[in-house]
Amino acid sequence: MGDDPSAAIDEAHISVKGGDGGNGVVSFRREKYVPRGGPDGGDGGRGGDAVLRGNRGLNTLLAFQHQTRFHGQAGGNGRGANQHGKRGADTLIDVPLGTVVLEGDQPLADIVVDGQRVLVARGGKGGIGNVHFATSTNRAPRMARKGEPGDERWLTLE
């Protein structure tokens, strides 16, 4: 056995999490000549996904010995004037070709093609703004829905 530390790295345990969805907002339209403008709260944005991507330039899992947690970006919160929140950016995790992805004992994917993408944690849905809760009897709803959390899981890469 040599002194090369990269020779023994053939398995890694990582935590992946999709980004949380943004919250919906409670807002009301305010303009000078519109006496009762009504609700105009925007929806929150979706959270970003965590995605594994095959990369033929890599040949070891050494990078995963130092960084073991990966998560997608959270979605933006909604704003007034029916403005929706920004969607969170996806997190791309490069792995060498031939990597087998396991969750517990269950195989999820085998990455064998350069550029192959595998979704491993989906981002959360964005919340709903108060404009969606308006009805003919409740014209000024003071409620909005929060965004959902993203998927979270532990994976083994071999």
Side-chain angles (χ1 to χ4, degrees):
M1 188 140 185
D3 291 335
D4 184 14
S6 65
I9 307 301
D10 60 351
E11 185 174 310
H13 301 284
I14 63 171
S15 169
V16 292
K17 182 180 187 314
D20 296 336
N23 297 327
V25 71
V26 174
S27 175
F28 296 95
R29 192 169 156 203
R30 300 282 183 236
E31 293 181 40
K32 186 173 184 179
Y33 297 110
V34 182
R36 288 187 278 279
D40 70 348
D43 299 342
R46 269 188 66 84
D49 300 329
V51 179
L52 295 178
R53 178 175 61 183
N55 184 343
R56 69 174 158 203
L58 298 175
N59 58 10
T60 180
L61 295 173
L62 181 64
F64 299 107
Q65 296 302 109
H66 304 292
Q67 182 177 0
T68 59
R69 296 186 183 275
F70 300 91
H71 51 83
Q73 184 181 24
N77 294 330
R79 298 192 313 196
N82 285 323
Q83 294 180 1
H84 298 295
K86 184 178 176 184
R87 188 192 192 292
D90 294 343
T91 297
L92 295 175
I93 307 162
D94 285 335
V95 296
L97 299 183
T99 301
V100 176
V101 183
L102 303 165
E103 182 178 22
D105 295 337
Q106 293 293 112
L108 292 180
D110 189 4
I111 300 174
V112 294
V113 179
D114 187 39
Q116 177 183 353
R117 293 175 180 229
V118 176
L119 177 67
V120 291
R122 187 175 299 280
K125 290 172 55 175
I128 298 175
N130 70 332
V131 72
H132 295 287
F133 294 104
T135 63
S136 62
T137 56
N138 184 11
R139 295 182 183 177
R142 296 190 183 279
M143 62 186 311
R145 197 173 293 159
K146 291 183 177 277
E148 297 177 2
D151 295 341
E152 186 171 12
R153 53 176 41 164
W154 279 92
L155 301 176
T156 302
L157 306 177
E158 292 181 350

